Amino acid sequence: MNSPKILKEIADENSILYIKAEQNYSVFHLEDGNKLTSAYTLKHYERHLHNNDFIRLSRSFLVQRNFVKGIRKQTSSSYAVLKNGREVLISRRRLQTVKKATF
């Protein structure tokens, strides 16, 4: 299977902070503040990126492991706290996997 064109445009996978699903598109958020949009799904990118470097938090987020600062637990929900201050909801089904992968 060929690598998606957008991954060839991004010189270093480590510059990808996270990928957010927006309907049928994937939006790449990069270290330099740029955003790139692709017509492929997150599932497609999960297969092409180095799996050990990225964690699937929910249906909508694929985050680089090094970009997760910690996990904040609220009454019935858990959030991944990213280094830029953003908090992303972790699905209940994926919480244990995220905990193992980040700590």
Side-chain angles (χ1 to χ4, degrees), residues 22-59:
E22 291 186 8
Q23 294 174 342
N24 290 330
Y25 295 94
S26 296
V27 179
F28 285 73
H29 294 261
L30 306 177
E31 270 184 326
D32 60 7
N34 286 335
K35 295 178 186 177
L36 300 174
T37 304
S38 171
Y40 290 100
T41 62
L42 286 183
K43 186 175 185 176
H44 183 80
Y45 288 113
E46 271 187 304
R47 285 187 245 137
H48 285 86
L49 295 169
H50 293 99
N51 290 342
N52 294 334
D53 295 339
F54 290 86
I55 306 166
R56 186 79 179 252
L57 300 179
S58 64
R59 285 184 176 185

Side-chain angles (χ1 to χ4, degrees), residues 6-88:
I6 197 167
L7 292 180
K8 293 175 184 173
E9 289 177 27
I10 300 170
D12 183 15
E13 280 185 13
N14 291 327
S15 68
I16 302 169
L17 301 178
Y18 61 93
I19 307 169
K20 183 179 183 215
E22 291 186 8
Q23 294 174 342
N24 290 330
Y25 295 94
S26 296
V27 179
F28 285 73
H29 294 261
L30 306 177
E31 270 184 326
D32 60 7
N34 286 335
K35 295 178 186 177
L36 300 174
T37 304
S38 171
Y40 290 100
T41 62
L42 286 183
K43 186 175 185 176
H44 183 80
Y45 288 113
E46 271 187 304
R47 285 187 245 137
H48 285 86
L49 295 169
H50 293 99
N51 290 342
N52 294 334
D53 295 339
F54 290 86
I55 306 166
R56 186 79 179 252
L57 300 179
S58 64
R59 285 184 176 185
S60 302
F61 277 91
L62 187 61
V63 179
Q64 187 176 146
R65 173 181 296 165
N66 298 334
F67 194 55
V68 177
K69 188 164 76 172
I71 296 175
R72 184 176 69 79
K73 184 124 173 95
Q74 207 170 4
T75 29
S76 62
S77 305
S78 295
Y79 296 87
V81 180
L82 306 181
K83 290 185 179 177
N84 67 353
R86 183 173 186 166
E87 292 186 1
V88 178

